[in-house]
Structures are given as structure tokens and as C-alpha cells.
């Protein structure tokens, strides 16, 4: 029994010892690998440093030879063993600086070739042995030792300053040209410091394009030079660089020498470490974030003030991009409380545009009396004069690729079992049916099938570049110019039944807009007051058509957009032919209103590219007319006209509920609503005037409920 216990004890002990041994081996192996990795890295680093030092010594040898030769010529003697190569760097540029290795390697190869030629031509010349700086240095007659002793401490400080300047230049280049790799940036910095002679940050404004053309692409050189010069002209505030803004060129500058560079906002380093002061939220806001409710206007504005104060602790004047990053962080944490969410629960644009604008507005309000914090980018003069009407140029209007808000903008494959020939045959069949039966044939089941099967063929033609004219599209696809055919195509394109959407929401939301304006009658301008008075005097104001028209007109006056940028008033008895013959129709879409006034109109046409393209059936209401008018922008790939961009985007986001990021008006110039002068438009992810109105409407209705 004792023997068995002893045997069992030995087995357990052996097992424990094996486990301990394995564990020890594993730990020792890890320790060895860590130490060996560290040692290998150190050895590699030391080897690299030694190689670098050797190369520097060899380059300094050639520099010393050239320097001695220069010193000898200054004394009327020629340094032994040196030939006149025509390359004489000044003696104060040899010591205390690193010369660009690539440049000197290139110069040495040229010198070697010249020396070989001279040996054949002048065999009597004796070439001296090269000086080896690693061995004992020979006596230097022309260089006083006192100079080295006096400048030794200064040289150390100079080296430190050079390193700091190089670091600053390197960071600046990385911000301007983030696509450059580290080696290329390092080479550019060395070239600027050692070849061009940049000794401090202010010297960057003196750099020319020719100084960098051997290292960078031409456009990269121009970007650097342009930014360096404007950085110097803008300067710094409180040690923090201002937002980088690039001034457009004047008309007399050469595009080849200095092309216009668009504005690229620079992300500041403080944004990455910025912490939103969540602990300073009010009790009401904390409750809203916990329950997922939308923030009330008062607590929201209070929190905006707190956040801006925290931002200004790091940067006195955060730019719009910085405000966007902070707004994105806040909305990402509490999307239901701070995000741009419609009443239907849909995200508007990127989801944080309203909060971004609130933050930037607060920054500008705080800095309103600080002149140096209110630097604005100079505006580029527009080529189009204020008040100039749209010119007839259909191809220019629809030339850009515009899949904004679409889910099926350009199908990539034909339907199963179809070919290009079969689709062309079906197109011809549909066109023949239209010729024989007219627009009412769009309600036939076989026509609906034909248009659905040839959808890819329709988009292929509409999206082609250069695009076809409206007349050419109508000749090939006449059913797209009927109410049913256009709305069916719009549904396939965007996934939205626009006819049903307007029927459900137009009148209801139009009443909300009317209530918003009539309840605050005294705060509006004269144009809004005039529309409100006209509505009050209309005995049929309760009519659904007039309610919808009134809401659209009020919004246009609120946005300070002219009626004729969307509507054209025509006589009640006018026909398609008389309108085309007697009126000058613009290139962009217009809704032609037949009646004594816009409010009393009861029949409608749509014009595109200077001709009437759609006739609204007499049995249809204004909702159908507005559906077709708005649908034309998407179906025919047309951008919003700048003169009515805010109203059209409100219809898109508020009524139709198409809410992608960006805008369908990409025009870079427009007319100021305040002064009437030509101005440059800024690209926006969400029209700020539309966002502000929708936010104020929500706040107004919330106050009435509470």
C-alpha cells in the first residue's frame, strides 16, 4: 500500500515538475524573443547610423577639398592635389550643415567625368590623395581654430533650431500634401534646408516652384508654394495657425504659373483629443439623452454654448470643419437627441448639419468683436452678372452625372432574356402605340410592361454624355412625358411613389407652413406680408390647391427667391403652342400656371429647354402638377436652378422625404438674396436655409404643444 502511494506521489510530482518546466521554457522563450528583438532593432539602428555617418564623412571630404581649394585661391595659391572644377561652396556653408546627399552624389559623378577628360588632356597634372576625415586631420592653414572654439556652443544651438524648423516644415508639408510618403517628405525637407537655404519658417514664403520641381510633380510644387505664401500673409494668432485659406487668382495671373487651388480645410490636432463636456449637460438634456427624446431648444442652445467654450479653450476660432467634427462626435453618441431627424424618423443629410451650423454661429457670435478672429476667405468674382437670366443651353444644364438621391440611377445589366436588339424593338413598339393611341395609352397594361422592361435602355440614353436634348428623349420615349409614365419611372429610379407621397403630405404640411407664418405675422418682411394678405382676401383659400400653392409661394418669399424661378404665369386660355410662340421660356424646368394670379390658377404646363413638354390633365390637381414638375429634375437628370435651390430642396426633404447628403444644386456662383450682386456659392452637405427653417418650424410647433 505504501509502495502504491509512493508511486502515485512520484507520478504527481513528475507531472507538476513537467508543467513547471514547460511554463518556465515558454516564459524564457518569450523573454529571449523580446530581448533579441530589441537587440536586433538596436543593432539595425546603430548600423544605419554608422552608415549614415560614413556617408556624411565622405561627402564632407569632397566639401573640404573644395573649401581648401577656395581658401588657396583667396591667398593667391592653389591647394595641392585639387583641380579647378568651377564648384566652390563658401567655407561657412561647409561646416555645421548637412548637404543633400543626392545632390552631391550627382555633382561627384560630373566631377569624376571631367577629371577623366582632364587626365587625358593634361597628363602632367598630379591628383593628390583624398583626405580621410576618419584619420588624423591635416593642418588647416586658412581656417582659424579660434573660430571653431567661439562658435561651438552657437553651432549646437543652431543645430537644435534647425531640427525644430525642419520638424515644423515637415508637419506643414504633410498637411498640405498628405499623399506624400515619409521618405519623399524627408527628402523635400532636406532639400529646402540644405540646398534652397530655408533657415526659418518665414523663409518658406520665398520658395519658388523651380526650387522643388526636381523632387515633386508640378501641381504639388504649386500647391506648396501657394500655401507657403498665403500662410505668411495670414500669420498666426496666439501661437495657433489660422484656418488655411487659399485666395483665388486675379484675372491677370497666369493659370500655368499659379493655377487656382480650391479651399481645403485643415484638421487641427486638438480635435483628435477634444473631449465633449458631457458632465456639464443640464438635467433636462440628461433626461432627453437617457430616454432618446429630441433635445428641447433651450437646453440645446445652452449645451452649444458650453461646447463652444470648451472648443475655444483649445482654439479661439474653430473653423466650420472643426465644428463639423465636434458635431459628428455629439450626434454619433446621441443621434436621437441631437441629430437631424425628420418627424418620420428619417435622417436629414449627414445628420449633424444643424448642430454644426449652431456651433459655428455661436463661435462667430463670441468672436464678433475680435477682428483677428473674423478672417474671411476672399470671394472669387463670378463670371455671371447679377440678374442675368438663364441662357438656353440644355446640354450644359444636364451634362453632369447626377445620381443624387437615386437607388437605380444606371442599371448595369439588361433584363434576363433581353438583348439590345430586343429592347430597341420594344422601344419602337411603345412609340408606335403612343402615335396611334395618344397619351392615354400609358394606362394600358402592355405599355406599362414595355416601359418597365426597357428601363435600362431609357437610363442609358438619358445618362449618356453629351446628353440628348429633351426633344430627342421625347421622340424616343414619348410615354415619359405623360403623368403616369413619368411617375412610374421616378418610382423605379428613387423607390418613391411621388404621386402618392404628394397626395398624402402636400396639403397637410402646407397647412403647417401656413400656420407657422400666419401665427407670427408681424415678424415677416413685406413680401411675406403681401402673400399673407392675398391669402386672407381669397374667398377660396381653404381650397387644397390654393393651400399648397400658398405654402410654396410663402417659402419662396421666406428664402428671398423670385416667383419666376419656379412659376410662370400665363393667361387662362393659353395653349401649348401659344405659350411657346409668345413667351420666352428658360432652359431649366418651370411650372406654367394658367390663371389670373398664381393662387387662382387651375391648369398647368411644364416647360424644359425652352419648350412645353408636359400638359397636366384637367382632371388632375396641383399635387399632380407639382409631382410631375419635381419628378422632371430626377427623371431627366437635371440639377436644381440656383435661383430656386432652397425652395426645391425644401420640397425634396420636407414633402418628398429624399434626404441624402449633399445637394442637387452644384452651381458655384449665384445671386445674393440680400444685395442682388453676383457671389460665389459654397458647397454644402445640407442647404443651411432649409435646415434652419425646418428646425424653427419644429421648435414653433413644440412650443405650441407645450
Amino acid at each position: 500500500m505504501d509502495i502504491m502511494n509512493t508511486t502515485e506521489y512520484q507520478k504527481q510530482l513528475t507531472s507538476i515538475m513537467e508543467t513547471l518546466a514547460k511554463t518556465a521554457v515558454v516564459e524564457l522563450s518569450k523573454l529571449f524573443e523580446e530581448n533579441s528583438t530589441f537587440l536586433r532593432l538596436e543593432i539595425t539602428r546603430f548600423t544605419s547610423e554608422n552608415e549614415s555617418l560614413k556617408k556624411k564623412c565622405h561627402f564632407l571630404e569632397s566639401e573640404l577639398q573644395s573649401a581648401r581649394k577656395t581658401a588657396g585661391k583667396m591667398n593667391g595659391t592653389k591647394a595641392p592635389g585639387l583641380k579647378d572644377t568651377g564648384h566652390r561652396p563658401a567655407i561657412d556653408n561647409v561646416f555645421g550643415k548637412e548637404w543633400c546627399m543626392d545632390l552631391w552624389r550627382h555633382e561627384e559623378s560630373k566631377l569624376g567625368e571631367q577629371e577623366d577628360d582632364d587626365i587625358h588632356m593634361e597628363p602632367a597634372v598630379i591628383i593628390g590623395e583624398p583626405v580621410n576625415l576618419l584619420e588624423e586631420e591635416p593642418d588647416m592653414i586658412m581656417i582659424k581654430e579660434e573660430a571653431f572654439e567661439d562658435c561651438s556652443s552657437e553651432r549646437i544651438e543652431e543645430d537644435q533650431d534647425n531640427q525644430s524648423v525642419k520638424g515644423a516644415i515637415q508637419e506643414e508639408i504633410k498637411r498640405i500634401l498628405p499623399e506624400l510618403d515619409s521618405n519623399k517628405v524627408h527628402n523635400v525637407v532636406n532639400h529646402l534646408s540644405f540646398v534652397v537655404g530655408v533657415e526659418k519658417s518665414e523663409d518658406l514664403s520665398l520658395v519658388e516652384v523651380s526650387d522643388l520641381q526636381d523632387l515633386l510633380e508640378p501641381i504639388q510644387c504649386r500647391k506648396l508654394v501657394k500655401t507657403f505664401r498665403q500662410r505668411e500673409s495670414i500669420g498666426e494668432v496666439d501661437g495657433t495657425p489660422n484656418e488655411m485659406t487659399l485666395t483665388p487668382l486675379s484675372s491677370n495671373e497666369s493659370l500655368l504659373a499659379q493655377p487656382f487651388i480650391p479651399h481645403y480645410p485643415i484638421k487641427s490636432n486638438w480635435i483628435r483629443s477634444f473631449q465633449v463636456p458631457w458632465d456639464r449637460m443640464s438635467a433636462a438634456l440628461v433626461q432627453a439623452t437617457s430616454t432618446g427624446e429630441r433635445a428641447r431648444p433651450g437646453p440645446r442652445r445652452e449645451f452649444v454654448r458650453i461646447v463652444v467654450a470648451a472648443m475655444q479653450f483649445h482654439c479661439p476660432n474653430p473653423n466650420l470643419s472643426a465644428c463639423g467634427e465636434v458635431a459628428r462626435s455629439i450626434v454619433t453618441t446621441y443621434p436621437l437627441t441631437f441629430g437631424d431627424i425628420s418627424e418620420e424618423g428619417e435622417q436629414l443629410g449627414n445628420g449633424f448639419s444643424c448642430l454644426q451650423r449652431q456651433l459655428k454661429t455661436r463661435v462667430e457670435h463670441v468672436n464678433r468683436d475680435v477682428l483677428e478672429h473674423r478672417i474671411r476667405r476672399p470671394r472669387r468674382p463670378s463670371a455671371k452678372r447679377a440678374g442675368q437670366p438663364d441662357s438656353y443651353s440644355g446640354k450644359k444644364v444636364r451634362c453632369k452625372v447626377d445620381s443624387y438621391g437615386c437607388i437605380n440611377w444606371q442599371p448595369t445589366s439588361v433584363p434576363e432574356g433581353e438583348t439590345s436588339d430586343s429592347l430597341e424593338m420594344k422601344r419602337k413598339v411603345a412609340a408606335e402605340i403612343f402615335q396611334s393611341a395618344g397619351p392615354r395609352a400609358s394606362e394600358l397594361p402592355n405599355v406599362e410592361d414595355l416601359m418597365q422592361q426597357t428601363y435600362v435602355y431609357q437610363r442609358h440614353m438619358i445618362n449618356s454624355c453629351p446628353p440628348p436634348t429633351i426633344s430627342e428623349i421625347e421622340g424616343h420615349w414619348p410615354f415619359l412625358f405623360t403623368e403616369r409614365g413619368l411617375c412610374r419611372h421616378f418610382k423605379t429610379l428613387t423607390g418613391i411613389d411621388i404621386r402618392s407621397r404628394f397626395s398624402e403630405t402636400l396639403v397637410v404640411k402646407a397647412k403647417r407652413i401656413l400656420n407657422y407664418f400666419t401665427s407670427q405675422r408681424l415678424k415677416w418682411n413685406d413680401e411675406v406680408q403681401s402673400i399673407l394678405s392675398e391669402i386672407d382676401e381669397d374667398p377660396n383659400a381653404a381650397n387644397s390647391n390654393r393651400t399648397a400653392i400658398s405654402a410654396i409661394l410663402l417659402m419662396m418669399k421666406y428664402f428671398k427667391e423670385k416667383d419666376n424661378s419656379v412659376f410662370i404665369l400665363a393667361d387662362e386660355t393659353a395653349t401649348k403652342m401659344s405659350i411657346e410662340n409668345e413667351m420666352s421660356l428658360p432652359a431649366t424646368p418651370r411650372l406654367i400656371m394658367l390663371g389670373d394670379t398664381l393662387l387662382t390658377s387651375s391648369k398647368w404646363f411644364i416647360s424644359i429647354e425652352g419648350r412645353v413638354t408636359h400638359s397636366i390633365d384637367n382632371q388632375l390637381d396641383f399635387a399632380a402638377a407639382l409631382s410631375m414638375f419635381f419628378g422632371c429634375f430626377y427623371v431627366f437628370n437635371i440639377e436644381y436652378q440656383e435661383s430656386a435651390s432652397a425652395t426645391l430642396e425644401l420640397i425634396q426633404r420636407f414633402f418628398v422625404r429624399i434626404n441624402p447628403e449633399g445637394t442637387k444644386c452644384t452651381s458655384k456662383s449665384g445671386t445674393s438674396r440680400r444685395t442682388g450682386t453676383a457671389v460665389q456659392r459654397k458647397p454644402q452637405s445640407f442647404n443651411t436655409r432649409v435646415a434652419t427653417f425646418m428646425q424653427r418650424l419644429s421648435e414653433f410647433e413644440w412650443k405650441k404643444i407645450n
Side-chain angles (χ1 to χ4, degrees):
M1 190 70 179
D2 294 338
I3 295 174
M4 292 179 63
N5 290 338
T6 302
T7 304
E8 186 68 24
Y9 173 74
Q10 289 178 349
K11 289 181 179 179
Q12 293 178 359
L13 183 61
T14 302
S15 176
I16 293 172
M17 294 300 293
E18 289 178 354
T19 303
L20 290 174
K22 291 179 180 178
T23 303
V25 169
V26 171
E27 293 298 326
L28 289 173
S29 299
K30 289 182 179 179
L31 185 62
F32 175 77
E33 289 177 359
E34 292 176 358
N35 290 334
S36 62
T37 302
F38 176 75
L39 288 174
R40 284 196 296 269
L41 289 175
E42 287 296 308
I43 292 171
T44 303
R45 185 171 65 85
F46 288 139
T47 303
S48 176
E49 289 179 355
N50 289 337
E51 291 296 329
S52 178
L53 288 173
K54 286 182 180 180
K55 290 180 180 180
K56 290 180 182 178
C57 289
H58 289 307
F59 290 136
L60 285 175
E61 286 178 14
S62 60
E63 289 302 319
L64 185 58
Q65 290 179 5
S66 299
R68 286 178 172 171
K69 173 186 172 184
T70 304
K73 292 203 70 177
M74 290 174 62
N75 275 342
T77 61
K78 192 170 184 179
L82 294 176
K83 293 176 61 64
D84 186 5
T85 61
H87 192 73
R88 306 183 182 87
I91 190 67
D92 57 349
N93 288 335
V94 177
F95 299 98
K97 288 190 178 181
E98 268 179 74
W99 286 82
C100 179
M101 298 179 182
D102 295 335
L103 179 64
W104 284 106
R105 187 177 298 114
H106 179 66
E107 292 294 333
E108 285 179 349
S109 64
K110 289 185 177 180
L111 293 177
E113 295 175 1
Q114 292 178 2
E115 287 178 359
D116 291 339
D117 295 337
D118 292 341
I119 288 173
H120 294 291
M121 296 174 62
E122 300 175 15
V125 178
I126 300 175
I127 306 300
E129 295 182 0
V131 180
N132 189 352
L133 293 180
L134 299 177
E135 298 177 358
E136 183 179 358
E137 232 179 279
D139 295 335
M140 293 181 289
I141 299 174
M142 295 305 301
I143 303 175
K144 296 182 179 180
E145 294 183 1
E146 299 94 286
F148 289 100
E149 293 175 357
D150 294 324
C151 299
S152 58
S153 59
E154 296 179 2
R155 186 172 298 116
I156 294 174
E157 296 177 358
E158 182 183 354
D159 290 341
Q160 294 175 350
D161 293 339
N162 287 341
Q163 291 300 323
S164 63
V165 171
K166 286 172 62 178
I169 296 174
Q170 187 169 348
E171 291 299 323
E172 188 73 15
I173 294 175
K174 286 181 179 179
R175 284 197 296 266
I176 301 170
L177 300 174
E179 69 273 10
L180 293 183
D181 55 35
S182 300
N183 293 333
K184 180 63 72 69
V185 173
H186 184 69
N187 291 338
V188 173
V189 173
N190 285 340
H191 184 74
L192 289 173
S193 299
F194 305 134
V195 178
V196 181
V198 175
E199 296 181 350
K200 50 187 178 180
S201 299
E202 291 77 3
D203 295 341
L204 293 174
S205 61
L206 305 176
V207 176
E208 300 289 343
V209 173
S210 58
D211 297 331
L212 300 170
Q213 60 187 5
D214 293 335
L215 299 175
L216 300 173
E217 298 295 331
I219 190 64
Q220 294 175 335
C221 298
R222 294 167 186 166
K223 283 183 179 181
L224 282 179
V225 171
K226 187 77 172 180
T227 308
F228 287 160
R229 292 176 180 174
Q230 293 183 346
R231 172 184 176 275
E232 179 66 19
S233 63
I234 293 175
E236 297 184 354
V237 178
D238 296 338
T240 303
N242 285 333
E243 177 187 355
M244 189 67 66
T245 56
L246 302 178
T247 308
L249 296 178
S250 60
S251 59
N252 58 353
E253 288 182 281
S254 171
L255 292 177
L256 296 176
Q258 288 183 319
F260 170 69
I261 305 175
H263 169 64
Y264 294 99
I266 299 176
K267 295 184 179 179
S268 304
N269 293 328
W270 65 268
I271 299 178
R272 302 170 187 169
S273 58
F274 177 75
Q275 297 293 328
V276 179
W278 302 113
D279 55 336
R280 298 180 60 187
M281 287 194 303
S282 63
L285 206 54
V286 171
Q287 182 180 359
T289 55
S290 61
T291 58
E293 298 177 355
R294 183 158 185 81
R296 302 308 181 194
R300 179 184 173 110
R301 285 194 293 268
E302 180 184 354
F303 186 61
V304 166
R305 296 189 188 100
I306 294 172
V307 172
V308 169
M311 293 167 62
Q312 290 188 312
F313 179 79
H314 300 277
C315 178
N317 185 30
N319 58 25
L320 187 62
S321 177
C323 294
E325 292 297 325
V326 175
R328 186 197 302 273
S329 175
I330 295 174
V331 172
T332 301
T333 307
Y334 298 110
L336 298 178
T337 304
F338 295 101
D340 301 337
I341 307 296
S342 67
E343 56 191 17
E344 293 85 5
E346 301 169 346
Q347 177 177 305
L348 301 175
N350 56 23
F352 59 87
S353 293
C354 290
L355 184 58
Q356 178 186 17
R357 177 55 57 183
Q358 274 189 289
L359 292 172
K360 183 57 180 173
T361 301
R362 177 62 183 173
V363 169
E364 293 177 347
H365 177 75
V366 174
N367 292 336
R368 63 191 183 279
D369 295 327
V370 185
L371 182 60
E372 59 268 24
H373 291 168
R374 299 174 60 192
I375 298 175
R376 297 293 188 203
R377 179 160 62 114
R379 295 180 177 180
R380 190 180 188 183
S382 173
K384 182 179 177 180
R385 297 187 301 272
Q388 182 178 354
D390 295 333
S391 59
Y392 174 72
S393 179
K395 294 191 176 183
K396 290 185 178 180
V397 173
R398 300 188 297 112
C399 187
K400 296 180 180 179
V401 172
D402 185 11
S403 57
Y404 175 83
C406 301
I407 62 173
N408 194 18
W409 185 74
Q410 180 61 76
T412 56
S413 59
V414 298
E416 185 177 358
E418 298 288 351
T419 63
S420 58
D421 293 335
S422 64
L423 293 177
E424 174 63 16
M425 181 62 67
K426 291 181 178 181
R427 182 197 68 78
K428 292 180 178 179
V429 170
E432 290 176 358
I433 293 175
F434 184 87
Q435 290 292 333
S436 59
R440 294 190 179 276
S442 60
E443 300 177 1
L444 298 176
N446 61 327
V447 171
E448 184 172 347
D449 293 339
L450 287 173
M451 294 300 291
Q452 188 64 34
Q453 293 167 5
T454 57
Y455 175 80
V456 60
Y457 200 17
Q458 299 166 36
R459 297 309 307 172
H460 178 76
M461 178 180 183
I462 295 172
N463 296 339
S464 61
C465 192
T469 64
I470 287 294
S471 299
E472 292 172 342
I473 297 175
E474 185 175 10
H476 283 74
W477 308 102
F479 283 110
L480 289 181
F481 295 81
T482 64
E483 187 265 345
R484 189 177 183 87
L486 182 76
C487 293
R488 188 190 302 117
H489 188 102
F490 186 91
K491 183 177 181 179
T492 307
L493 180 66
T494 63
I496 295 174
D497 186 346
I498 190 172
R499 187 70 177 88
S500 300
R501 183 66 55 89
F502 270 113
S503 298
E504 296 168 359
T505 64
L506 182 60
V507 176
V508 175
K509 292 188 175 183
K511 289 180 179 180
R512 290 171 54 191
I513 293 175
L514 288 174
N515 183 46
Y516 174 77
F517 283 99
T518 55
S519 299
Q520 307 174 90
R521 184 183 295 265
L522 297 179
K523 67 182 294 185
W524 308 120
N525 57 35
D526 294 339
E527 292 185 343
V528 174
Q529 295 275 10
S530 176
I531 295 293
L532 291 175
S533 300
E534 189 176 351
I535 294 172
D536 293 339
E537 296 172 359
D538 187 2
N540 299 318
N543 180 279
S544 59
N545 286 344
R546 300 189 182 183
T547 300
I549 296 172
S550 300
I552 301 299
L553 290 175
L554 282 172
M555 291 312 309
M556 297 194 72
K557 299 301 181 182
Y558 174 82
F559 293 136
K560 297 182 180 179
E561 295 177 338
K562 296 182 179 180
D563 298 343
N564 60 8
S565 60
V566 171
F567 303 117
I568 294 179
L569 183 63
D571 187 81
E572 188 175 3
T573 61
T575 62
K576 175 180 177 180
M577 185 175 297
S578 66
I579 291 174
E580 290 181 346
N581 293 334
E582 299 173 5
M583 304 182 69
S584 177
L585 301 176
T588 50
R590 293 293 190 274
L591 186 56
I592 303 175
M593 317 282 281
L594 274 61
D596 296 331
T597 64
L598 294 177
L599 283 177
T600 59
S601 60
S602 57
K603 188 176 180 181
W604 307 275
F605 291 106
I606 297 173
S607 70
I608 307 175
E609 294 183 1
R611 56 184 297 269
V612 177
T613 55
H614 297 74
S615 300
I616 314 301
D617 197 290
N618 294 334
Q619 286 76 30
L620 299 178
D621 56 4
F622 180 74
L626 192 61
S627 301
M628 295 180 64
F629 169 72
F630 183 78
C632 287
F633 288 96
Y634 281 81
V635 171
F636 300 120
N637 197 24
I638 303 174
E639 293 186 348
Y640 297 156
Q641 52 263 35
E642 191 277 334
S643 56
S645 57
T647 301
L648 292 172
E649 186 163 341
L650 178 76
I651 295 173
Q652 167 204 315
R653 296 189 183 276
F654 188 63
F655 292 102
V656 189
R657 290 163 36 200
I658 298 178
N659 289 303
E661 183 176 356
T663 178
K664 199 171 169 64
C665 178
T666 61
S667 175
K668 295 183 179 179
S669 62
T671 303
S672 172
R673 271 59 171 180
R674 183 172 59 87
T675 63
T677 59
V679 295
Q680 183 178 2
R681 298 181 76 252
K682 297 179 180 179
Q684 297 174 334
S685 60
F686 191 168
N687 190 299
T688 54
R689 292 179 293 164
V690 175
T692 301
F693 172 78
M694 295 179 68
Q695 183 180 1
R696 289 177 179 175
L697 178 63
S698 299
E699 293 177 359
F700 168 78
E701 293 175 339
W702 176 83
K703 289 179 181 178
K704 290 194 66 175
I705 294 174
N706 294 275

